Amino acid sequence: MPDTLPYVLILYYSRQGATRAMAEQIAAGVESRSGIVARLRTVPPVSPTCEAVAPEIPAEGAVYASLDDLRHCAALALGSPTRFGNMAAPLKHFIDTTSELWVGGALIDKPATAFTSTSSLHGGQESTLITMLLPLLHHGMVYAGLPYSETELYTTTAGGTPYGASHLAGQRSDRPLDEAERNLAFAQGRRLARLAQALEGAR
């Protein structure tokens, strides 16, 4: 790897744009600290038709993630909309390809977090975040949620959990992030960057 600033990999899947908006807010939080940068990456959709192949570069938004993006990151923020209380299949498909990183211990002791978006208030935000952390723990990562020193956790009427940032996108997935959701996502990115810098020396 060239001698560049360490980066937080913000790896997400977004269908309607809500999770992407969260990812961008987390990236802003990361880059509010000096000496570290955010790297936004996404994953292609999974098709039930075996012959369907996504273009190598998406038409818009972040480029597709590679294993090297994950291998060399200083920290990871994993984001997905909720699918029946779990992460979306495209993101899970990518995570399932990371065995070589697990074998080599590439992610051990790196901080990680998760974020999600749902169409309904009780649509599985917390279960999605908790299930997303399971593969991160298998990789030996250090999970970092949101502490209650972020006072929006007490007052939010939409998204926001101690397990990670979340967003209520609404039934049509057209509700923008409100102020509390933006602040919590920003704080999550800032905290992850701080922990990445602190743990970098320990590794």
Side-chain angles (χ1 to χ4, degrees):
M1 284 292 287
D3 185 19
T4 58
L5 288 176
Y7 65 88
V8 173
L9 177 61
I10 303 171
L11 175 59
Y12 69 93
Y13 176 71
S14 186
R15 182 98 183 241
Q16 304 293 335
T19 310
R20 175 180 170 182
M22 293 187 72
E24 291 168 349
Q25 196 65 20
I26 289 172
V30 169
E31 297 197 340
S32 70
R33 290 187 62 87
S34 61
I36 193 164
V37 295
R39 180 177 293 187
L40 287 161
R41 292 292 185 266
T42 189
V43 294
V46 173
S47 172
T49 305
C50 295
E51 292 79 12
V53 177
E56 291 186 8
I57 300 174
E60 61 177 350
V63 300
Y64 294 137
S66 70
L67 288 183
D68 277 345
D69 287 320
L70 194 52
R71 187 190 318 273
H72 299 298
C73 72
L76 171 66
L78 196 62
S80 174
T82 292
R83 295 291 184 266
F84 303 105
N86 209 327
M87 77 176 85
L91 192 61
K92 178 64 163 61
H93 178 75
F94 179 83
I95 296 298
D96 286 347
T97 69
T98 62
S99 293
E100 70 178 70
L101 302 183
W102 176 81
V103 169
L107 302 180
I108 290 174
D109 290 342
K110 294 182 180 183
T113 197
F115 58 100
T116 191
S117 175
T118 59
S119 60
S120 62
L121 186 57
H122 301 291
Q125 291 183 359
E126 293 183 348
S127 66
T128 299
L129 293 168
I130 290 170
T131 53
M132 286 172 73
L133 77 85
L134 296 180
L136 307 181
L137 294 176
H138 275 261
H139 273 287
M141 303 192 86
V142 180
Y143 192 79
L146 276 169
Y148 274 90
S149 54
E150 302 301 334
T151 56
E152 285 92 346
L153 286 177
Y154 291 103
T155 59
T156 181
T157 58
T161 82
Y163 312 105
S166 60
H167 168 56
L168 172 61
Q171 193 169 2
R172 295 183 177 86
S173 297
D174 58 358
R175 178 183 175 274
L177 274 68
D178 65 24
E179 184 177 5
E181 292 170 331
R182 287 195 308 272
N183 289 344
L184 288 169
F186 184 93
Q188 187 169 10
R190 184 181 57 210
R191 182 182 193 217
L192 190 62
R194 176 173 58 80
L195 292 172
Q197 290 173 311
L199 289 173
E200 187 72 22
R203 289 197 305 275

